[in-house]
Amino acid sequence: MTAGPLSVTTAGGGVLAVETLPSVPRLTGLYARGAASSGRIAAGRALPSLPVIGGGEDSLTLPPVAYRVAEVDTADMASHLRDYQRLLHEPVSDHLPSGYLHVLAFPLATAVMVRADFPLPLLGMVHLANDAALARPVRLGDRLEVRAWAEDLRAHRRGVQVDLVAEVRVQGDDDAVPAWRGVSTYLARGFDPSEVEGADGADGGDGQAPGDVPGDAGGDGTAPSDAWAPPLPTGRWVLPAGTGRAYGALSGDRNPIHMSALSAKAFGFPRAIAHGMYTAARALADVGMARGDAYRWTVRFAKPVLLPGTVDVAVTPAEDAPGGFTYVGWNALRRQKHFEGTVTPL
């Protein structure tokens, strides 16, 4: 594979230097660093005498660097992939689904968020949405290059949004477009939107989770809304209390809000909640092989799924995208939407 220049151009036209890491870091250590950095950021913002995190004309700034792991060998991941397929109800295949590629790349994106110069706290971040494109198949046994960086810091009526971008390239593939590219949008609440240069108060989504952390669906478990009428379900998931622990063991994301009711209560939840990306990837699996070898997969998160819990799901052909699908998951008793998204061919 031609590695290309060691720089990344962001969606806004900025150029980031690329720093190569020897391997994909482990999430356990990253979350420990994230907790410490979140405390420093909170303390700094509580003291009026200290400058705004990031400095530079009193505006928040993102790290001017992208992380890269030059070689990730998937040849020894067969057992892990099969475990993922069983848990997510994915069709058995040697192709790595988009949700699995997110799991592989997520630790590198998290490493960006725990840098000392990342201006937002990891703890308390709300995961709003994901948009991932699988341009061509990635197969078990492929050697991959993974990159990740942060971009597009922008205002939200409840704080500040940021995108974490991850890309996967396959060795031997000289195409300029990565085989897989995922954009995860997060919200940091409690920040003044005016701290973002050029902020106009734009609102790009809703964030409602107390104590949420990247990788998780947002929500607060409040009263049901009468504004949304659920469609006819095409399936129902019955999720046991250990769903968060099972997905955490596979993904490395052992955030306390997923592990048990006791640990989740410390973050404002009545019970443990399912990982947002578990629910999104489970919906992608429900679409199955009808999605084809190349597809775009989007999700927007709403209320969290409390565990144990039951989720009604509707997967239906998309009216405005031939060959595509829409999906939505909800709590039938409370008529609360948990998530919704699309799967469209590329």
Side-chain angles (χ1 to χ4, degrees), residues 296-331:
R296 180 185 179 192
W297 166 46
T298 70
V299 62
R300 290 181 63 85
F301 298 113
K303 300 293 182 182
V305 177
L306 297 174
L307 298 172
T310 300
V311 180
D312 278 9
V313 181
V315 177
T316 55
E319 296 181 358
D320 56 351
F325 298 85
T326 63
Y327 64 86
V328 61
W330 69 96
N331 181 310

Side-chain angles (χ1 to χ4, degrees), residues 41 44-47 50-62 119-121 153-156 158-161 188-202:
I41 291 172
R45 295 182 63 80
L47 298 173
L50 295 182
V52 172
I53 301 297
E57 303 297 326
D58 291 333
S59 63
L60 301 171
T61 58
L62 294 172
L120 308 175
L153 197 66
R154 58 201 185 274
H156 183 284
R158 297 188 179 185
V160 174
Q161 289 184 105
R189 296 178 300 178
F191 282 72
D192 185 347
S194 67
E195 294 176 43
V196 180
E197 183 178 357
D200 58 4

Side-chain angles (χ1 to χ4, degrees), residues 99-253:
Y100 190 80
L101 292 168
H102 173 88
V103 168
L104 293 185
F106 179 64
L108 200 60
T110 304
V112 175
M113 290 189 281
V114 302
R115 285 175 54 96
D117 56 354
F118 189 77
L120 308 175
L122 183 71
L123 296 183
M125 197 90 79
V126 179
H127 192 178
L128 297 180
N130 255 64
D131 190 338
L134 181 65
R136 51 197 166 279
V138 179
R139 296 176 175 84
L140 193 66
D142 285 341
R143 294 178 180 267
L144 311 177
E145 177 190 294
V146 183
R147 296 188 183 193
W149 65 92
E151 66 179 35
D152 198 13
L153 197 66
R154 58 201 185 274
H156 183 284
R157 71 176 185 273
R158 297 188 179 185
V160 174
Q161 289 184 105
V162 65
D163 289 340
L164 271 294
V165 182
E167 292 184 348
V168 171
R169 288 177 165 80
V170 179
Q171 287 192 7
D173 188 348
D174 292 327
D175 198 319
V177 177
W180 180 87
R181 186 176 194 270
V183 180
S184 301
T185 300
Y186 300 111
L187 166 69
R189 296 178 300 178
F191 282 72
D192 185 347
S194 67
E195 294 176 43
V196 180
E197 183 178 357
D200 58 4
D203 179 19
D206 196 10
Q208 304 173 68
D212 206 0
V213 179
D216 313 314
D220 58 7
T222 53
S225 169
D226 294 328
W228 179 69
L232 291 175
T234 58
R236 173 170 288 179
W237 307 340
V238 179
L239 305 181
T243 300
R245 292 189 293 274
Y247 184 78
L250 273 174
S251 67
D253 183 359

Side-chain angles (χ1 to χ4, degrees), residues 241 244-245 256-265 269-274 305-308:
R245 292 189 293 274
I257 63 177
H258 307 303
M259 297 297 102
S260 70
L262 182 62
S263 57
K265 286 178 180 177
F269 295 97
R271 304 198 301 273
I273 68 171
V305 177
L306 297 174
L307 298 172

